[in-house]
Amino acid sequence: MQDVPVEIQSLRQELKQRILFQNMLLQALLVLFSAFAIAVAVVPEASSLLHFAFQCVVLSGASQWCHHGVRTAQIKAYLQEINADETHGNWESWLPAHRPKTFLGSRWQISTKGVFLGLGLGMFLLDAVFTGPPELLPLLCSAAVWSFAAYLLISNPKE
């Protein structure tokens, strides 16, 4: 087995860390959604404000997730480029060719981004249930923040 250059080891370690950070963001978002949902149920008169605050959390998490995604895509492309002449292959090229045949977990564009956008939409639903007739300004502000998060997620390059 040939020695792996320090640069490659370092880049692969960075990939692992960035993927870990992305997964931690997804897990934290689930916990925060639960906390906000409970808060909406306990204090329904603050539902619109909590909804807006949660959409800001989604935007913040999505921005961080996209930042890591861009770097991950760049590192992966670099590793594929410098390993293009290898005959035994590498993880960066093997993984996309061996995705599971399931809907979730197999398509990065759907499953991961769906967590951010789906939980954001879930908060819209909770707000509608607990607020009654929607308050227009908070609803529009929440929709604008959610839409910007959706734009960031959809425009982020595929890893």
Side-chain angles (χ1 to χ4, degrees), residues 11 20-21 31-32 35 57 61 70 82 86 105 109-111 122 128 141 147:
L11 288 171
L20 175 66
F21 292 153
V31 171
L32 289 170
V57 168
V70 168
I82 64 173
E86 288 186 5
Q109 290 281 62
I110 297 168
S111 60
C141 290
S147 297

Side-chain angles (χ1 to χ4, degrees), residues 4 8 11 13 20-21 24 26 40 45 63 66 72 76 80 84 94 105 112 116 134 142 146 159:
V4 178
I8 304 268
L11 288 171
Q13 182 61 34
L20 175 66
F21 292 153
M24 288 171 60
L26 292 173
V40 164
E45 59 275 7
S63 299
C66 288
T72 300
K76 177 183 168 185
Q80 286 177 316
W94 181 89
T112 306
F116 284 102
S142 294
W146 183 90
E159 296 174 34

Side-chain angles (χ1 to χ4, degrees), residues 23-41:
N23 287 327
M24 288 171 60
L25 281 166
L26 292 173
Q27 296 303 316
L29 189 62
L30 292 172
V31 171
L32 289 170
F33 177 81
S34 298
F36 273 85
I38 290 168
V40 164

Side-chain angles (χ1 to χ4, degrees), residues 65-139:
W65 189 85
C66 288
H67 168 73
H68 291 301
V70 168
R71 289 297 161 256
T72 300
Q74 288 176 317
I75 293 168
K76 177 183 168 185
Y78 175 72
L79 291 173
Q80 286 177 316
E81 186 177 309
I82 64 173
N83 293 324
D85 59 342
E86 288 186 5
T87 56
H88 65 281
N90 57 53
W91 175 251
E92 292 80 24
S93 59
W94 181 89
L95 181 62
H98 294 87
R99 296 246 183 240
K101 300 285 187 225
T102 61
F103 181 66
L104 293 178
S106 63
R107 295 290 165 239
W108 180 85
Q109 290 281 62
I110 297 168
S111 60
T112 306
K113 294 174 183 185
V115 172
F116 284 102
L117 300 179
L119 290 176
L121 290 174
M123 193 54 68
F124 274 101
L125 181 62
L126 284 173
D127 186 25
V129 167
F130 284 94
T131 299
E135 297 176 35
L136 190 58
L137 183 60
L139 181 65

